[in-house]
Each structure stands twice: as C-alpha cells, then as structure tokens.
C-alpha cells in the first residue's frame, strides 16, 4: 500500500476517534474533535497531492479516497444533527447529493467514462468543510457564522449537483426514461 492510500486509510480510521470526542463529556472535547476533523480533512488534500505528484494513482485510491471523504463529512453532519447544531433537512440534501453523484459515477465507470471533479464541486467541498469546522468548534461567538456558511454549503451542494448532472447527462440514456 502506497503513502497516498495509507493516508486515505488513516482518514477512515480517524472517523470513530472524531465521533468519540464529539460525544465525550470532557473539557474541550469538541475542540479536540474539531482538530481531528481538520487533520483528517487535510489528509484528503495530502493524499491526492502525493498520488498525483508521484504517479501513485491506484484503483484502490480512486475508490477509497472519495469514500473516506464521504464517511468523514457524513459523520460530522450526523453528529451535528443529533446534537441539534444543524437542521436535518440540510444534512439530507448534502448526503442525498453525495449518494446521487456516487451512483452517477458508478454508471459512468461501467461505461468506461471518467468524470472529473468540477470547480463547483471543489467549491462545494470547501464550503462544506469550512462550515463544518466552524460548527464543530461549538464556540457561541461564531455559531451564526457557521450556520450561514452551512446554508451557503447547502446552496453550493445543490448548484454543483445540478451542474454535475447537466454537464454529464450523456452518461444516462435519457431516451429510455
């Protein structure tokens, strides 16, 4: 297993530790959880950079990297929902978009079509991560900023999802629908 794939696996292994700290009733547990989330999020950037720079792109990495991202983000969203920090409807939109795009990518892959991430998709990811980091800290002074950024992330989630399907509609055989 190469370094990039090890970082992806590390990200997956960090999720239960992150969740544990979200629920521990000790001083600064949310801050510790946030730090774990930030480190795990950074491994996403780092593993991609290492894989591309050193030509270490593997089928495992193509599968596990986006899966690790979705597990991490979904875990944070679900924890924040259960703790009452974000509305469930927003989390449903974000997770539904991820399922839909993943399913779409599976269809494309079955037709030997690779669909690259779009700039809007990258903006979506950054907006989600920024909002999650702010909300995870549970710092009252910046909570409103976190909620506003969460709604912005939902907006980019919707826009990037629609853009994704419009730009790649050729993958679906729309004549048979």
């Amino acid at each position: 297993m190469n370094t990039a794939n090890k970082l992806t696996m590390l990200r997956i292994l960090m999720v239960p530790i992150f969740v544990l700290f979200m629920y521990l009733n000790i001083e600064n547990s949310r801050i510790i959880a946030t730090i774990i989330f930030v480190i795990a999020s950074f491994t996403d950037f780092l593993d991609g950079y290492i894989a591309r720079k050193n030509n270490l792109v593997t089928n495992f990495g193509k599968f596990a990297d986006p899966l690790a991202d979705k597990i991490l983000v979904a875990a944070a969203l679900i924890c924040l929902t259960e703790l009452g920090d974000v509305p469930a409807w927003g989390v449903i939109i974000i997770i539904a978009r991820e399922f839909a795009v993943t399913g779409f990518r599976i269809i494309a892959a079955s037709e030997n079509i690779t669909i690259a991430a779009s700039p809007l998709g990258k903006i979506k990811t950054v907006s989600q991560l920024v909002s999650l980091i702010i909300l995870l800290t549970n710092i009252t002074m910046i909570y409103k900023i976190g909620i506003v950024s969460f709604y912005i992330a939902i907006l980019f989630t919707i826009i990037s999802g629609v853009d994704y399907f419009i730009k790649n509609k050729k993958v679906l055989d729309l004549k048979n629908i």
Side-chain angles (χ1 to χ4, degrees):
M1 184 173 288
N2 66 42
T3 303
N5 290 340
K6 287 178 183 175
L7 286 169
T8 298
M9 291 305 299
L10 176 64
R11 185 162 61 258
I12 293 170
L13 294 173
M14 291 175 83
V15 172
I17 299 166
F18 158 75
V19 171
L20 175 68
F21 276 97
M22 284 297 291
Y23 291 104
L24 280 178
N25 192 15
I26 61 171
E27 189 175 347
N28 297 319
S29 64
R30 289 277 297 259
I31 297 297
I32 295 167
T34 304
I35 291 167
I36 293 167
F37 183 87
V38 168
I39 293 168
S41 297
F42 182 70
T43 67
D44 180 34
F45 161 77
L46 193 57
D47 67 16
Y49 174 78
I50 290 170
R52 286 185 297 277
K53 181 180 180 223
N54 299 316
N55 198 24
L56 298 174
V57 176
T58 64
N59 286 334
F60 174 81
K62 290 177 189 176
F63 166 75
D65 181 61
L67 179 64
D69 300 342
K70 287 166 185 40
I71 292 169
L72 178 65
V73 170
L77 289 167
I78 292 167
C79 287
L80 289 170
T81 301
E82 184 177 7
L83 295 169
D85 293 345
V86 296
W89 64 264
V91 173
I92 291 167
I93 289 171
I94 292 170
I95 292 175
R97 184 253 189 220
E98 297 307 324
F99 277 131
V101 167
T102 299
F104 196 73
R105 280 200 163 128
I106 290 168
I107 292 169
S110 72
E111 300 293 324
N112 294 319
I113 299 170
T114 302
I115 302 174
S118 72
L120 281 172
K122 292 180 184 200
I123 293 169
K124 178 262 320 173
T125 299
V126 169
S127 67
Q128 286 178 1
L129 293 177
V130 167
S131 71
L132 289 173
I133 290 166
I134 294 169
L135 290 166
L136 287 170
T137 63
N138 199 29
I139 298 173
T140 308
M141 296 178 349
I142 60 172
Y143 178 78
K144 287 185 181 181
I145 294 169
I147 286 296
V148 169
S149 65
F150 180 72
Y151 291 132
I152 291 168
I154 292 169
L155 180 64
F156 277 112
T157 297
I158 294 167
I159 292 169
S160 67
V162 169
D163 177 68
Y164 187 87
F165 283 97
I166 289 173
K167 286 184 176 172
N168 298 292
K169 64 184 176 190
K170 66 184 178 293
V171 172
L172 296 175
D173 184 3
L174 298 177
K175 297 175 285 191
N176 295 326
I177 296 179

